[in-house]
Amino acid sequence: MDYRQVGRSGLTVSEFGFGAATFGGRGEFFGAWGSTDVAAARRLVDLCIDAGVTLFDTADVYSDGASEEVLGAALRGRRDRVVVSTKAALPIGDGPSDRGTSRSRLIRAVDAALRRLDTDWIDLFQLHAYDAATPLDEVVDTLDVLVRSGKIRYTGVSNFSGWQLMSSLATADRRGAPRHVAHQVYYSLIGRDYEWELMPLAAEEGVGALVWSPLGWGRLTGRVRRDTPLPTTSRLHSTAAAGPPVDDEHLYTVVDALDQIARETGRTVAQVALNWPSRRPTVSSVIIGARDEAQLRDNLGASGWSLTPEQIRILDAASQVEAPYPYFPYRRQEGFALLNPPAV
């Protein structure tokens, strides 16, 4: 397992982290992801720590807080050996103060997460979405107070656009507050939008990417194929509409390339698909999940080896799509490209 600093901060994490969205299993949506209880979670955490994983990620919205509760119990006795990341901003109730990133919401969210995680501090606290209703000065100042109090140590964001992240960073600079060091983003071989604007911004501003759903919402496990029925156990049956969209033919083209590389390397399709983003610019950690030990062991097999330049070229070619405006001129036209070469 390799270890990397998150952006230009002093926070160090494993190249693969563990996402605890399968812990708890409360509600129809997260119940479809998994329903791992404390005993099973402790075993998964054991396997992760034995493999060198240090980053464990969750959120208050995962199973209505049950994910944090189960993760906290599973980490009991080894809290100081790991990096715990959690998130808040998405709605956790029907009240007007049950969503967003206002001062009152953030303070209550952090205190509640500390109780559920059974810990005195959160290593990385991330804003789970951009809240346009709350002034950035208020958000930044509140996070500053929480850092100074010792309740959180680093801050980050998740699912921000480029202008939202840049505005947040500029506001922190203007007010002398801690900058966000991490951006939790969707990035996979069937979802490379991160590269257009967010990756160059991360490189310029020193923000590390923590990648969620690197298997494309479960589509790059090797079980989803052309002219083959979706497995009955796939969570795609109930959650596909909520996940990142992908054209079926594009998906199958990428899976064909993954099959080729898997045969060449003796690895599984999922391991190849996970290894690819782990080596991309600005990526600090790729967050993997698992319902059971077998799935976790397979995913952890993405660590400790590298794709060859030719294998990367094949995967890049299969997964490449046309850039949206205003980015396509910088790829198509020489004059534009000379002014601003691509980040990857």
Side-chain angles (χ1 to χ4, degrees), residues 323-336:
Y325 175 81
Y327 308 109
F328 69 79
Y330 294 93
R331 299 215 171 192
R332 288 186 187 176
Q333 301 173 34
E334 181 179 353
F336 280 84

Side-chain angles (χ1 to χ4, degrees), residues 60 125 209 216 234 263 312:
D60 62 355
F125 180 76
S234 173
R263 288 192 298 268
I312 292 173

Side-chain angles (χ1 to χ4, degrees), residues 2 4 11 26 52 68 122 130 147 166 208 214 222 248 255 270 293:
D2 290 337
R4 303 166 182 171
L11 179 62
R26 286 183 193 163
E68 290 178 326
I122 296 166
Y130 183 78
V147 170
M166 193 64 242
D248 284 345
V255 172
E293 293 183 28

Side-chain angles (χ1 to χ4, degrees), residues 80-99:
D80 59 349
R81 298 171 56 187
V82 301
V83 172
V84 172
S85 163
T86 193
K87 303 177 286 295
L90 296 176
I92 56 170
D94 298 328
S97 60
D98 291 332
R99 61 182 181 271

